[in-house]
């Protein structure tokens, strides 16, 4: 099969599509024939060496939508099942940017009905990151939340999920994104920020750090999206950062919200797997709204 990998760190030109053995599923694993796999900023980090692994072959891709092709024992899945999954891990020899991928059954959920694989592939990593970050904040209906990067992939899901829970959301994004962010469910919008100490919590998808922390009231909460990179607590504000985990049951809940129209899946463009380097180059240009998706 083909797989996109990096063996020497660098820019988009470092991405290689190679021939490799089709992986075999073990116990409590399934093999998925990949129909679509999205490209995320974490993949650019892998390519540049941000997570280590020098001298190794590293595969790209965390998200996958496709069809179960083979199973190990005790999986609960059958060949032919249409699924989505999160293939966790930055340093791995093969990712989802390939013709086939093997994942643990605990990472898998049924694909959303009425949604094509390209759109479905944009769900797992970013929506799980958003919902797990909201879990850290422990907000109740009527409380106020500022989401930075509200027009982005994680931020957009966070706005929709928080609004669905009855949280009063302010979205921070570029001024040109106001109509879109409000359509996601934000009650308020800002392109500059909010007064210090004026919201119960911040979900910092734009990685503003201490600047965003200042907007949280004393005793509030702050959740970042870069593991181990949250600012230090101050003024009684709880601070933390989500480290996304593969959770098939939670992913199934998110799939149900897609089917109900609560979550919007956004695709910026598609690329053939053979042009994985081109997709990396487009991501590096910035300004992408929605995900770039590789289609084997």
């Amino acid at each position: 099969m083909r797989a996109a990998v990096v063996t020497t760190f660098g820019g988009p030109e470092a991405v290689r599509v190679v021939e490799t053995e089709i992986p075999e599923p073990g116990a409590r694993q399934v093999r998925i024939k990949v129909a679509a796999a999205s490209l995320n900023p974490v993949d650019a980090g892998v390519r540049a060496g941000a997570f280590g692994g020098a001298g190794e072959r590293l595969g790209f891709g965390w998200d996958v939508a496709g069809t179960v092709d083979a199973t190990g024992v005790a999986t609960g899945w059958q060949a032919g099942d249409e699924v989505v999954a999160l293939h966790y891990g930055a340093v791995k020899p093969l990712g989802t940017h390939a013709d086939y991928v093997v994942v643990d059954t605990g990472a898998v959920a049924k694909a959303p009905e009425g949604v094509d694989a390209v759109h479905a592939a944009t769900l797992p990593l970013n929506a799980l990151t958003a919902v797990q970050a909201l879990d850290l904040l422990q907000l109740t209906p009527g409380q106020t939340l500022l989401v930075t990067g509200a027009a982005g992939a994680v931020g957009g899901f966070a706005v929709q999920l928080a609004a669905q829970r009855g949280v009063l959301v302010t979205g921070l994004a570029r001024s040109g994104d106001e109509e879109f962010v409000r359509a996601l469910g934000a009650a308020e919008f800002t392109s500059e920020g909010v007064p210090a100490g004026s919201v119960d919590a911040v979900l910092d998808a734009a990685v503003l750090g201490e600047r965003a922390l200042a907007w949280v009231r004393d005793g509030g909460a702050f959740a970042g999206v870069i593991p181990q990179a949250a600012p230090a607590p101050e003024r009684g504000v709880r601070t933390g950062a989500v480290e996304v985990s593969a959770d098939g049951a939670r992913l199934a809940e998110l799939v149900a919200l897609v089917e109900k129209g609560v979550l919007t899946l956004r695709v910026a463009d598609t690329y053939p797997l053979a042009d994985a380097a081109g997709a990396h180059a487009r991501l590096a240009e910035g300004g992408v709204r929605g995900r770039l998706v590789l289609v084997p």
Side-chain angles (χ1 to χ4, degrees), residues 2-292:
R2 299 167 303 160
V5 302
V6 63
T7 55
T8 303
F9 299 138
E13 72 285 349
V15 178
R16 298 283 183 268
V17 177
V18 301
E19 293 286 333
T20 189
E21 294 296 318
I22 296 176
E24 294 296 331
R28 298 186 180 279
Q29 290 185 320
V30 299
R31 185 171 69 210
I32 300 170
K33 181 176 173 58
V34 179
S38 61
L39 176 68
N40 289 283
V42 66
D43 297 307
V46 170
R47 187 196 71 227
F51 304 100
E56 302 176 33
R57 184 188 77 175
L58 303 180
F60 298 107
W62 293 52
D63 292 309
V64 61
T67 306
V68 174
D69 170 72
T71 67
V73 298
T75 68
W77 297 96
Q78 297 180 342
D81 288 341
E82 294 185 358
V83 296
V84 289
L86 178 68
H87 187 25
Y88 176 86
V91 181
K92 55 198 177 192
L94 291 172
T96 63
H97 296 175
D99 289 314
Y100 296 89
V101 65
V102 167
V103 298
D104 294 338
T105 56
V108 182
K110 183 181 176 183
E113 294 184 4
V115 175
D116 62 66
V118 169
H119 283 80
T122 67
L123 180 69
L125 175 59
N126 294 292
L128 281 169
T129 299
V131 77
Q132 291 171 8
L134 285 172
D135 291 345
L136 293 178
L137 295 174
Q138 302 175 356
L139 295 172
T140 56
Q143 287 194 288
T144 55
L145 169 68
L146 177 72
V147 176
T148 72
V154 173
F157 283 133
V159 170
Q160 292 180 305
L161 289 165
Q164 191 250 352
R165 297 179 180 187
V167 174
L168 302 177
V169 181
T170 296
L172 171 65
R174 297 173 187 169
S175 57
D177 289 319
E178 178 172 1
E179 182 178 354
F180 172 72
V181 172
R182 287 187 181 275
L184 293 176
E188 302 292 341
F189 177 87
T190 178
S191 59
E192 301 294 334
V194 295
S198 63
V199 292
D200 293 314
V202 164
L203 195 160
D204 188 24
V207 197
L208 301 181
E210 292 182 357
R211 178 185 171 209
L213 178 62
W215 297 327
V216 182
R217 65 165 175 80
D218 294 0
F222 173 101
V225 297
I226 306 296
Q228 287 87 51
E234 62 176 47
R235 300 179 289 106
V237 177
R238 290 185 294 108
T239 64
V242 64
E243 180 161 3
V244 69
S245 61
D247 185 337
R250 204 67 188 280
L251 183 55
E253 294 174 2
L254 295 167
V255 165
L257 293 177
V258 171
E259 294 174 340
K260 292 176 182 177
V262 173
L263 294 180
T264 302
L265 303 178
R266 294 182 286 154
V267 174
D269 205 351
T270 59
Y271 286 78
L273 177 61
D275 191 25
H280 276 256
R282 175 65 188 91
L283 182 65
E285 291 174 4
V288 177
R289 283 291 177 260
R291 279 288 168 250
L292 303 171

